[in-house]
């Protein structure tokens, strides 16, 4: 070997061995503890979530339990609101927007006007007073095992701390070891930022109880300490001395049972969890097996660069000047899958605006469920990245809001079916909140219902379509049959009153609503056909759909956001709702409706490339659907690069050091939407065909993906090199015809259920 090559090889070895410690493409890692919350590393099992700081003298485990919210069970419907509906519509028709908004604010809004807030639960602190300034500090989140680890040496002793949130054990584990016998000395305490709180110590257990300030919910969290050292109680804490190992097991619960019931017993529940909790040595492999059942189904590899071996925060800062770190994008996608598994498991609530990670009592937008984009975006990667089960909590929420939303449909619109406006909370509020100019937006339930349809399209699970999806979709559609109203100017059916999310105030007939309603009707019609049911209802939907106001191209060549051509081409508003029909909708396409697609591109160019986190993420998906990989990559770069104001405070979208997406502050939707957007450049399957590498950015010339799902019940493995497909395998889960497109080449093959097919780079089928 030549000396230079030898040195480089040795250096690479040292870098990878000493710093990365394992597979660098599946780790977020750092050389220092987290100073701020947005540097800490998240763990979660769906219901419980925690941020691990990795502090040396003081470790902080800030934790949440998903049902701790302010408020109490109640109906938010405004009784008798429907008496004012026709007057609001009349005012809008006469161009009296302010009067319509004022009347609606008075007579038409949720009672109370605001929904409730998700709450931080508490903190576990570990004090290691002797550990001072250690050497060889390393902190990581390993996406292959869903564990957070920190290691360092102090006083010649190596300390290792490992944390994970176990779904099977319903508990968080935190395990500490010292490399030398009996060298582990530390104290454990609990605290919370709630005004009403109490800490008790009993044997080897600390109990924290909290009561939310405004509302019916209280919670109990317990930490049990198991150690080979000496355990003592001392003023509000447990001290552990002369130990070699110690395990903390954390359980938390509240008295919330469901959106109508708060008679749960968190004391008994948490005691039961801790009593059953297996020892760390047993719990760890069970946790990893459980996690890997979901994690291992999918992998994504983009090429490494010289930055790939750096700590994640350094990699992120370098990406700004030199965005040549394709592997960082793959890590981002895998991190999004990790976050979904950690915040949305069967039986849990869906991921809210912060997933489940919140350290405040007054988080931004209450960390609720905003459904005019944010909640849906959380689930964009679910089906595609083979995490169908993690979609289930969203379906359960749809079931519940269909119940509360039926009352709102009746009281506010005198309509059948159900409706959800732009937000919901743990109490499943469905009425319009905050202010009429953006709160009255009627297509939240319709959009969410389409997630059930998408689940069917990916899985081809007919029992799910029949028993779960269709009844909810049908109820959402039935609402619009009553609600849609004739526009006196055009004679078309329009959605009124509503708004184009958060832009332009209360109006008659925002474009987005019409796109969503048409998509919902189309899904219901197709479903009725598949299930051989409801022919008359399907016919009624088909007739009604034809009368809904179509998309319009306006005077600037833009896609009109409203019925009237009043778009402001200088507006850089973060919402670009009227392009819903491009993504996630599919009525505006490069093939069938090129004129509308061009108009949509114009609209997006007018809006510009900047935005908050989720807005950037949506734009990645839009550019991918426009088949413009380079513009998609421009947006991807922005998703990674934090924007700071003069005071060095984050002021625009971008990623925090722990790869959490910034609105700012942290909002999780951009993590999920960004991951979906990166994948949308690799495969698209919404137009009855699988389009291979439809918008591959030049910056991602080489890669491979496995376990990527496509509509029609297909699962794919794919490789590409120098920007060209090199191999493709398709597994057929349902035996449908598989139509593939790669550039101008199109092939269609019948498949058999359960069979796998291999294709060459030109789509010829290989034996
Ligand atoms: C919508 C957006 C905001 C924010 C909030 C949670 O209201 O317009 O930007 O994301 O949801």
């Amino acid at each position: 070997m030549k000396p230079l090559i030898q040195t480089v090889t040795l250096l690479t070895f040292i870098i990878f061995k000493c710093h990365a410690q394992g597979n660098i493409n599946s780790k977020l890692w750092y050389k220092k503890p987290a100073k701020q919350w947005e540097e800490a590393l998240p763990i979660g099992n769906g219901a419980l979530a925690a941020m691990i700081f990795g502090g040396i003298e003081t470790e902080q485990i800030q934790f949440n339990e998903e049902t701790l919210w302010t408020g109490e069970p109640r109906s938010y419907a405004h009784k008798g609101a429907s008496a004012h509906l026709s007057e609001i519509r009349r005012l809008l028709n006469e161009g009296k927007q302010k009067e319509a908004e004022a009347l609606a604010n008075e007579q038409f809004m949720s009672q109370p006007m605001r929904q409730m807030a998700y709450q931080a639960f508490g903190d576990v602190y570990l004090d290691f007073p002797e550990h001072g300034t250690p050497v060889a500090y390393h902190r990581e989140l390993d996406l292959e095992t869903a564990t957070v680890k920190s290691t360092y040496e102090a006083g010649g002793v190596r300390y290792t701390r490992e944390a994970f949130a176990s779904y099977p054990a319903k508990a968080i584990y935190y395990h500490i070891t010292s490399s030398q016998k009996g060298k582990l000395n530390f104290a454990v305490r609990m605290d919370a930022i709630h005004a009403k709180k109490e800490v008790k110590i009993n044997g080897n257990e600390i109990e924290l109880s909290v009561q939310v300030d405004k509302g019916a919910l209280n919670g109990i969290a317990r930490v049990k300490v198991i150690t080979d050292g000496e355990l003592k109680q001392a003023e509000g804490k447990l001290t552990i001395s002369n130990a070699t190992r110690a395990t903390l097991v954390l359980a938390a619960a509240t008295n919330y049972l469901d959106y109508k019931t708060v008679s749960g017993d968190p004391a008994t529940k948490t005691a039961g969890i801790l009593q059953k909790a297996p020892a760390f040595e047993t719990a760890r492999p069970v946790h990893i097996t459980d996690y890997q059942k979901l994690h291992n189904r999918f992998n994504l590899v983009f090429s490494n660069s010289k930055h790939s071996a750096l700590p994640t925060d350094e990699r992120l800062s370098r990406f700004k000047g030199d965005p040549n770190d394709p592997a960082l994008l793959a890590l981002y996608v895998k991190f999004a899958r990790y976050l979904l598994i950690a915040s949305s498991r069967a039986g849990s609530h869906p991921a809210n605006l912060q997933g489940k990670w919140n350290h405040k009592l007054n988080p931004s937008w209450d960390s609720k469920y905003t459904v005019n984009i944010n909640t849906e975006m959380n689930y964009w990667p679910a089906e595609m990245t083979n995490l169908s089960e993690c979609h289930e909590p969203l379906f359960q929420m749809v079931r519940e809001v269909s119940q509360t939303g039926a009352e709102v449909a009746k009281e506010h619109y005198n309509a059948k079916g159900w409706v959800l406006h732009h937000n919901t909370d743990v109490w499943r509020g469905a009425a319009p909140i905050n202010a009429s100019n953006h709160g009255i937006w009627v297509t939240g339930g319709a959009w969410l219902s389409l997630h059930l349809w998408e689940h069917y399209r990916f899985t081809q699970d007919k029992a799910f379509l029949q028993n779960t999806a269709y009844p909810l979709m049908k109820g959402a559609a039935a609402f619009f049959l009553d609600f849609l109203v004739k526009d006196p100017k055009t004679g078309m059916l329009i959605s009124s009153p509503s708004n184009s999310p958060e832009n332009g105030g209360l109006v008659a007939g925002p474009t987005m609503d019409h796109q969503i309603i048409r998509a919902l009707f189309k899904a219901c019609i197709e479903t009725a056909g598949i299930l051989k049911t409801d022919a008359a209802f399907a016919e009624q939907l088909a007739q009604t759909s034809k009368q809904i106001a179509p998309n319009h191209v306006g005077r600037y060549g833009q896609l009109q956001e409203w019925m009237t051509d009043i778009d402001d081409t200088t507006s850089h508003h973060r919402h670009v709702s009227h392009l819903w029909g491009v993504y996630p909708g599919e009525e505006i396409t490069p093939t069938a409706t090129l004129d509308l697609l061009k108009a949509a591109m114009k609209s997006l160019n007018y809006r510009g490339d900047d935005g908050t986190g989720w807005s950037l993420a949506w734009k990645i998906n839009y550019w991918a659907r426009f088949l413009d990989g380079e513009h998609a990559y421009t947006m991807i770069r922005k998703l990674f690069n934090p924007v700071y104001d003069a005071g060095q405070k984050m002021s625009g979208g971008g990623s925090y050091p722990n790869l959490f997406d910034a609105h700012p502050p942290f909002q999780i939707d951009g993590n999920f939407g960004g991951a979906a957007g990166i994948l949308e450049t690799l495969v698209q399957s919404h137009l009855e065909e699988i389009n291979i590498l439809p918008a591959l950015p030049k910056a991602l010339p080489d890669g491979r993906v496995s376990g990527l799902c496509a509509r029609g019940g297909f699962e794919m493995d794919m490789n590409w090199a120098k920007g060209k497909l090199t191999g493709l395998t398709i597994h057929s889960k349902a035996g449908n015809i598989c139509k593939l497109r790669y550039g101008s080449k199109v092939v269609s093959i019948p498949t058999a259920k359960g069979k796998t097919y291999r294709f060459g780079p030109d789509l010829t089928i290989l034996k």
Side-chain angles (χ1 to χ4, degrees):
M1 225 192 270
K2 295 209 175 84
L4 181 67
I5 300 180
Q6 256 176 354
T7 320
V8 170
T9 316
L10 185 68
L11 268 176
T12 315
F13 175 76
I14 293 171
I15 290 169
F16 276 67
K17 187 86 187 146
C18 298
H19 288 166
Q21 299 188 352
N23 183 358
I24 50 160
N25 291 319
S26 289
K27 284 183 179 180
L28 279 68
W29 71 278
Y30 307 84
K31 289 192 207 155
K32 42 189 188 308
K35 281 208 193 84
Q36 291 167 18
W37 192 81
E38 294 81 2
E39 293 170 50
L41 292 169
I43 55 172
N45 68 0
L48 292 178
M51 295 294 278
I52 314 288
F53 284 65
I56 297 159
E57 289 198 293
T58 302
E59 165 69 299
Q60 185 180 356
I61 305 167
Q62 182 273 317
F63 67 93
N64 291 95
E65 197 279 342
E66 61 178 354
T67 61
L68 193 68
W69 289 62
T70 57
E72 68 244 316
R74 63 168 304 137
S75 157
Y76 288 87
H78 190 141
K79 296 253 179 319
S82 68
H84 304 277
L85 179 61
S86 54
E87 180 62 6
I88 295 168
R89 283 176 166 161
R90 190 186 65 78
L91 290 167
L92 288 174
N93 288 341
E94 289 174 7
K96 296 178 178 156
Q97 186 191 48
K98 290 292 159 240
E99 289 89 330
E101 287 176 352
L103 174 61
N105 276 332
E106 229 14 71
Q107 305 289 353
F108 207 75
M109 304 302 288
S110 168
Q111 288 180 325
M113 188 72 117
R114 295 192 173 268
Q115 290 173 354
M116 300 302 140
Y118 182 44
Q119 300 289 279
F121 199 125
D123 301 88
V124 183
Y125 293 100
L126 282 69
D127 300 312
F128 300 86
E130 301 157 4
H131 290 192
T133 317
V135 292
Y137 182 90
H138 173 95
R139 179 168 70 96
E140 67 175 36
L141 162 63
D142 181 354
L143 302 180
E144 276 172 13
T145 55
T147 50
V148 165
K149 203 160 138 184
S150 54
T151 53
Y152 56 86
E153 279 175 36
V157 181
R158 182 146 201 86
Y159 294 94
T160 304
R161 312 171 183 170
E162 197 180 26
F164 58 84
S166 164
Y167 179 69
K170 301 184 173 67
I172 287 173
Y173 280 73
Y174 192 101
H175 185 69
I176 318 166
T177 57
S178 68
S179 62
Q180 287 177 29
K181 206 165 177 313
K183 292 287 188 194
L184 188 55
N185 300 298
F186 70 106
V188 191
R189 56 198 162 89
M190 288 180 94
D191 203 351
I193 54 173
H194 295 269
K196 292 177 213 156
K197 63 182 171 190
E198 197 185 349
V199 176
K200 285 190 217 155
I201 302 195
N202 195 353
N204 65 343
E205 227 179 84
I206 311 180
E207 179 191 293
L208 165 74
S209 42
V210 297
Q211 161 72 51
V212 300
D213 190 27
K214 291 186 198 101
L217 293 177
N218 56 72
I220 290 193
R222 296 175 198 272
V223 170
K224 175 166 86 174
V225 182
I226 302 133
T227 178
D228 61 353
E230 290 155 37
L231 192 85
K232 283 201 197 114
Q233 283 183 30
E235 279 168 70
K237 56 189 175 190
L238 283 174
T239 60
I240 292 96
S241 8
N242 308 323
T244 312
R245 58 185 57 239
T247 307
L248 275 60
V249 191
L250 166 69
T254 75
N255 56 328
Y256 178 97
L257 288 181
D258 61 45
Y259 76 91
K260 290 182 266 194
T261 327
V262 291
S263 54
D265 176 0
T268 309
K269 188 170 172 193
T270 47
I273 291 170
L274 288 191
Q275 205 193 352
K276 285 200 213 99
F280 170 79
E281 290 71 17
T282 313
R284 188 179 188 275
V286 173
H287 156 70
I288 293 175
T289 307
D290 166 71
Y291 170 75
Q292 289 187 343
K293 258 194 309 210
L294 299 166
H295 170 78
N296 289 0
R297 285 183 197 156
F298 174 95
N299 195 19
L300 175 66
V301 179
F302 291 148
S303 31
N304 282 322
S305 73
K306 61 179 190 296
H307 298 160
S308 310
L310 295 172
T312 309
D313 45 353
E314 286 178 38
R315 237 171 133 174
L316 200 57
S317 353
R318 285 182 199 232
F319 192 75
K320 193 162 192 139
D322 176 7
N324 177 27
D325 188 359
L328 183 63
L329 274 59
L331 186 71
Y332 194 87
V333 172
K334 293 196 284 188
F335 181 53
R337 283 188 92 242
Y338 169 82
L339 292 174
L340 194 63
I341 299 171
S343 62
S344 187
R345 289 296 295 270
S348 81
H349 287 250
N352 63 40
L353 286 172
Q354 297 185 189
K356 299 282 163 69
W357 296 275
N358 164 34
H359 60 307
K360 297 182 179 163
L361 298 180
N362 59 346
S364 296
W365 290 282
D366 306 315
S367 198
K368 305 191 286 285
Y369 297 95
T370 306
V371 300
N372 63 12
I373 172 63
N374 318 88
T375 304
E376 289 88 351
M377 186 178 275
N378 284 358
Y379 288 89
W380 286 354
E383 299 293 336
M384 226 184 165
T385 71
N386 223 328
L387 290 176
S388 259
E389 298 93 327
C390 296
H391 216 163
E392 167 55 32
L394 186 73
F395 306 152
Q396 178 58 24
M397 186 172 89
V398 176
R399 242 174 243 131
E400 294 172 4
V401 287
S402 79
Q403 294 157 10
T404 53
E407 191 195 2
V408 176
K410 189 164 166 295
E411 293 295 341
H412 291 241
Y413 302 97
N414 195 20
K416 291 190 284 300
W418 65 277
V419 61
L420 170 63
H421 293 83
H422 96 297
N423 250 283
T424 191
D425 60 4
V426 85
W427 312 110
R428 303 303 183 236
I433 63 161
N434 300 353
S436 62
N437 63 358
H438 68 278
I440 302 182
W441 176 73
V442 291
T443 38
W447 188 351
L448 284 177
S449 301
L450 283 164
H451 275 250
L452 290 107
W453 170 239
E454 284 292 302
H455 178 75
Y456 167 75
R457 289 174 86 193
F458 276 91
T459 61
Q460 300 289 300
D461 180 348
K462 272 202 190 135
F464 171 84
L465 186 64
Q466 177 151 16
N467 304 325
T468 304
Y470 185 56
L472 295 167
M473 290 159 62
K474 188 177 170 185
F479 169 77
F480 292 101
L481 289 178
D482 284 349
F483 169 78
L484 287 168
V485 62
K486 209 176 228 181
D487 173 26
K489 292 190 198 83
T490 62
M492 302 302 290
L493 290 178
I494 57 167
S495 169
S496 173
S498 193
N499 77 94
S500 189
E502 307 185 27
N503 191 19
L506 196 63
V507 296
T511 300
M512 179 200 222
D513 279 15
H514 301 151
Q515 295 171 347
I516 293 178
I517 299 164
R518 270 193 295 272
L520 174 65
F521 283 10
K522 184 164 174 265
C524 287
I525 294 166
E526 281 183 43
T527 305
I530 296 165
L531 301 177
K532 299 195 176 39
T533 183
D534 279 350
F537 180 67
E539 181 53 29
Q540 195 188 355
L541 293 178
Q543 291 309 328
T544 309
S545 194
K546 282 189 215 151
Q547 299 166 49
I548 298 176
N551 294 301
H552 289 289
V553 178
R555 61 192 153 143
Y556 304 109
Q558 89 285 12
L559 187 73
Q560 273 181 220
E561 188 161 355
W562 300 277
M563 290 295 287
T564 38
D565 191 359
I566 52 167
D567 293 54
D568 173 4
T569 54
T570 64
S571 162
H572 295 156
H573 199 282
R574 62 196 177 284
H575 285 268
V576 200
S577 308
H578 47 313
L579 270 58
W580 189 94
V582 176
Y583 186 99
E586 52 203 44
E587 69 176 23
I588 299 177
T589 71
T591 38
T593 52
L594 187 59
D595 52 331
L596 291 174
L597 189 91
K598 284 187 179 151
M601 277 167 94
K602 272 218 158 127
S603 291
L604 191 55
N605 276 319
Y606 285 134
R607 276 293 211 271
D609 288 345
D610 292 328
T612 56
W614 61 259
S615 174
L616 299 172
W618 202 348
K619 288 173 186 175
I620 300 172
N621 287 277
Y622 282 146
W623 286 109
R625 285 271 171 106
F626 292 148
L627 307 181
D628 186 339
E630 296 321 299
H631 210 134
Y633 197 71
T634 303
M635 304 313 307
I636 291 169
R637 285 183 64 177
K638 286 181 180 281
L639 189 73
F640 282 82
N641 296 333
V643 178
Y644 295 100
D645 63 16
Q648 282 308 298
K649 222 174 142 283
M650 229 168 164
S651 60
S655 295
Y656 288 105
N658 63 1
L659 294 190
F660 268 4
D661 187 56
H663 186 287
F666 162 56
Q667 205 170 282
I668 206 164
D669 37 25
N671 283 97
F672 294 127
I678 292 168
L679 296 173
E680 201 70 15
T681 68
L682 305 182
V683 169
Q684 295 179 14
S685 68
H686 57 293
L687 299 175
E688 309 294 327
E689 61 181 28
I690 300 176
N691 196 346
I692 312 283
L693 301 176
L696 184 71
K698 285 202 187 76
L700 303 175
D702 307 299
R704 59 173 204 272
V705 62
S706 56
L708 186 71
C709 294
R711 294 171 186 83
F714 301 108
E715 194 173 318
M716 335 172 30
D717 298 349
M718 178 173 91
N719 307 284
W720 65 100
K722 299 197 179 115
K724 298 245 175 324
L725 182 70
T726 47
L728 172 69
T729 303
I730 302 236
H731 178 70
S732 171
K733 291 187 273 195
N736 286 328
I737 291 176
C738 180
K739 185 174 167 199
L740 296 172
R741 174 184 298 275
Y742 177 49
S744 54
K745 176 111 190 179
V746 180
V747 300
S748 225
I749 57 152
T751 69
K753 187 174 171 164
K755 284 259 165 11
T756 300
Y757 302 84
R758 285 196 312 124
F759 299 85
D762 58 351
L763 299 190
T764 47
I765 195 154
L766 306 174
K767 289 279 168 258

